[in-house]
Amino acid sequence: MKSFQVREAIVDLLVRIEQDSGFSHLLIDHEINSRNISQKDEALLTEIVYGTIQRKLTLDYYLEKFVDKKKKMKLWVQMLLRMSLYQMHFLDKVPDHAIIHEAVEIAKHRGHKGIASLVNGVLRNIQRKGVPDTAEINDKTKRLAIETSHPEWLVERWIDMYGFDITRNMCIANLERKPMSIRIQPLKISRKAVMEELDELGFEMRESDFSNQGIIIDKGNILRTRLFEEGFVTIQDQSSMLVTEMLNADPGMTVLDACSAPGGKVTHTAEKMRNKGTIVAYDLHAKKAKQIQNKAAELDLTIIDAKAADARKLQEKHAEESFDRILIDAPCTGFGVIRGKPDIKYNKQEDDVKRLAQIQADILDSVAPLLKQDGLLIYSTCTVDKTENDEVVKGFLAQNQDFQADKAFFDQLPDKILGSPGISEIGLQLFPHSFSTDGFFLTRLKRV
């Protein structure tokens, strides 16, 4: 595919993501598969689309100094300017004059000479004068929001919860590339054998401190290896692996995963149980439950029974005290995975936090009675918001005297995490900057 066509495709993608609030990773995957884009162009397309979305508010701050606010601009022109400026300011692979030339050609092709002239004028003006200095913004919350391209309300919220320094570190981490981590299938292969094979292929990697099944890939594309294609490894963030490690599920147990899609934790649990025992996995959507079952089959795991059901109604399907272990990986705002899904930070609002916190509390209330006495329940989310985490758990414990935060949870955390700023009396908040993982909350409750 020619460079011009790749960048046309990028403009199309940015328009769709902006217009439909679509999930960028799904739209990018669809575009790559449907247009048969080469590996080289795939990397370029992904980098520019993600980077432009990730830096959207910063780019708009820069652009508004050079664009007449009274002039109404078509959405595709805004996206063209954003992506061109992203390349000029944040990348150094292509010279500015080439970026401007291509932007002008795209403007001519999609619009007319007037638009091409506008695009040329804005970009050349920025090339001459440079982008405005964010140090001019006096309010430090607003300055951090613009510099790291997070909505101001979200930055204010995090500062109220964690203070300015943690918020700043978190916002900066959300702009950085996270190393990929994988989980080996221990019933099929050892971590040592996987690392030896990857080493021969030229990969750079290291062992995870969070799970003895985890490997962090610093260099190399695991998707193009036989290890991935044949189900010897699966992609999973270390924070997500830690959830299953802390569930302490042993072979022969009966386990419930109440909100199991996309299936990483439930398949990991089956591996920890050495594929012996029973796991019932639910998701609200039948399509996702089917995907979980397919994922289990890929990994040769047979103890998982995945079905569609609302986690708030599982008492209709199971008697009280049916399970040795329960995992509730609750639906959440996803503020901990902004680094991989940057559109989340623009699409979610404060009302979403309140709405989801109520759903999380309802799920916890409904599912907890299904746990046996002395059983363990993990509550986790991929967000960093205390309303969805600490407050949900505290509210539940206040109403349920037969449950308590399991003190052994803190003793069993990996050594590397001990002393982490995210540890509280109620559980563990992993921040994205602490260990280069997703932002994740987890706690373990015990029924006494």
Side-chain angles (χ1 to χ4, degrees):
M1 188 180 271
K2 292 180 180 175
S3 169
F4 178 84
Q5 292 171 315
V6 173
R7 283 171 171 77
E8 279 262 52
I10 291 170
V11 174
D12 287 338
L13 268 171
L14 290 172
V15 168
R16 288 173 62 193
I17 292 166
E18 181 78 10
Q19 210 162 31
D20 304 331
S21 298
F23 286 111
S24 51
H25 62 294
L26 298 178
L27 291 171
I28 289 172
D29 285 346
H30 178 266
E31 190 74 13
I32 288 169
N33 293 329
S34 63
R35 294 207 191 201
N36 198 23
I37 291 175
S38 72
Q39 193 176 342
K40 181 185 169 192
D41 289 340
E42 178 184 327
L44 177 70
L45 180 143
T46 304
E47 180 169 16
I48 295 177
V49 172
Y50 271 127
T52 303
I53 298 170
Q54 198 67 277
R55 301 278 187 173
K56 170 179 156 180
L57 300 183
T58 312
L59 293 167
D60 285 354
Y61 175 77
Y62 293 158
L63 282 167
E64 71 182 18
K65 309 289 180 187
F66 296 91
V67 176
D68 184 354
K69 291 178 186 172
K70 294 176 186 171
K71 203 158 190 167
K72 193 168 181 182
M73 198 181 289
K74 290 185 176 179
L75 187 59
W76 70 263
V77 181
Q78 292 178 40
M79 299 304 110
L80 178 60
L81 287 171
R82 265 188 204 157
M83 89 164 192
S84 300
L85 181 53
Y86 171 72
Q87 294 172 81
M88 289 168 65
H89 189 66
F90 292 104
L91 302 182
D92 54 10
K93 292 178 181 172
V94 183
D96 287 356
H97 66 84
I99 294 168
I100 296 170
H101 172 75
E102 202 152 56
V104 170
E105 291 303 308
I106 290 172
K108 283 182 191 170
H109 184 245
R110 298 178 73 116
H112 50 69
K113 279 187 179 178
I115 295 177
S117 175
L118 181 145
V119 167
N120 186 54
V122 170
L123 294 179
R124 290 209 179 280
N125 216 359
I126 294 175
Q127 186 187 27
R128 267 198 311 275
K129 297 180 179 176
V131 296
D133 188 350
T134 51
E136 297 169 357
I137 304 171
N138 293 325
D139 184 293
K140 71 175 188 176
T141 301
K142 184 175 182 180
R143 185 165 64 244
L144 179 61
I146 293 295
E147 286 175 343
T148 62
S149 200
H150 285 71
E152 199 171 334
W153 71 266
L154 189 57
V155 175
E156 283 177 355
R157 190 174 175 86
W158 288 348
I159 290 174
D160 286 345
M161 291 177 184
Y162 301 114
F164 189 83
D165 288 345
I166 285 181
T167 301
R168 181 185 58 205
N169 291 338
M170 191 155 52
C171 289
I172 291 170
N174 283 342
L175 298 173
E176 295 169 349
R177 189 184 294 269
K178 186 186 69 171
M180 177 180 281
S181 59
I182 59 170
R183 187 187 87 229
I184 62 118
Q185 210 301 26
L187 307 181
K188 298 170 74 172
I189 198 167
S190 69
R191 180 159 73 174
K192 183 182 177 191
V194 169
M195 294 185 79
E196 284 175 354
E197 185 163 335
L198 293 180
D199 187 51
E200 287 176 8
L201 293 171
F203 278 61
E204 291 178 10
M205 83 225 90
R206 56 208 150 95
E207 294 180 350
S208 165
D209 293 315
F210 286 25
S211 169
N212 59 14
Q213 292 177 234
I215 299 172
I216 303 163
I217 307 284
D218 292 312
K219 183 184 173 188
N221 186 351
I222 194 70
L223 298 176
R224 299 182 187 279
T225 65
R226 69 135 202 136
L227 290 167
F228 178 75
E229 290 170 355
E230 297 176 15
F232 289 99
V233 301
T234 189
I235 296 169
Q236 189 176 24
D237 190 73
Q238 292 188 90
S239 56
S240 184
M241 283 183 237
L242 181 63
V243 172
T244 303
E245 294 289 343
M246 299 306 292
L247 185 62
N248 277 1
D250 291 324
M253 282 186 168
T254 302
V255 177
L256 168 66
D257 186 344
C259 313
S260 57
K265 296 178 192 69
V266 73
T267 50
H268 188 192
T269 302
E271 290 165 2
K272 299 300 288 184
M273 293 168 66
R274 304 193 64 75
N275 203 30
K276 294 175 183 173
T278 303
I279 303 179
V280 187
Y282 288 102
D283 189 84
L284 190 57
H285 305 287
K287 187 178 175 183
K288 290 185 177 178
K290 178 73 175 168
Q291 288 172 343
I292 294 162
Q293 205 69 60
N294 291 340
K295 184 66 182 171
E298 285 174 19
L299 295 170
D300 297 332
L301 299 167
T302 57
I303 64 169
I304 298 171
D305 182 15
K307 305 171 186 174
D310 187 332
R312 292 167 290 189
K313 298 178 180 176
L314 294 184
Q315 289 194 41
E316 297 172 6
K317 297 178 178 295
H318 301 281
E320 287 196 8
E321 302 196 23
S322 293
F323 295 96
D324 300 297
R325 298 286 183 270
I326 292 180
L327 169 58
I328 300 175
D329 188 45
C332 67
T333 50
F335 290 146
V337 294
I338 285 173
R339 185 153 39 174
K341 299 174 184 174
D343 30 333
I344 285 175
K345 61 186 173 183
Y346 309 122
N347 296 337
K348 290 285 193 299
Q349 305 297 326
E350 283 196 287
D351 284 347
D352 293 314
V353 177
K354 294 175 189 168
R355 178 179 58 81
L356 284 159
Q358 185 58 57
I359 292 172
Q360 292 152 358
D362 291 345
I363 291 175
L364 195 48
D365 284 338
S366 173
V367 172
L370 305 183
L371 186 67
K372 292 178 182 176
Q373 191 168 6
D374 293 324
L376 300 176
L377 183 154
I378 291 267
Y379 173 84
S380 66
T381 71
C382 60
T383 191
V384 293
D385 199 290
K386 286 189 174 183
T387 302
E388 299 177 75
N389 299 330
D390 304 50
E391 290 181 24
V392 168
V393 175
K394 284 180 180 175
F396 171 79
L397 291 176
Q399 297 297 320
N400 295 274
Q401 302 300 314
D402 55 338
F403 280 84
Q404 63 185 25
D406 184 12
K407 291 179 181 173
F409 169 84
F410 299 97
D411 297 331
Q412 293 170 9
L413 286 171
D415 292 345
K416 192 170 185 178
I417 292 176
L418 299 176
S420 161
I423 290 180
S424 70
E425 59 179 357
I426 210 68
L428 169 66
Q429 178 67 65
L430 287 169
F431 296 108
H433 59 275
S434 298
F435 304 102
S436 281
T437 65
D438 287 336
F440 229 91
F441 174 84
L442 62 156
T443 189
R444 193 168 73 199
L445 309 181
K446 184 174 183 178
R447 189 167 196 176
V448 294

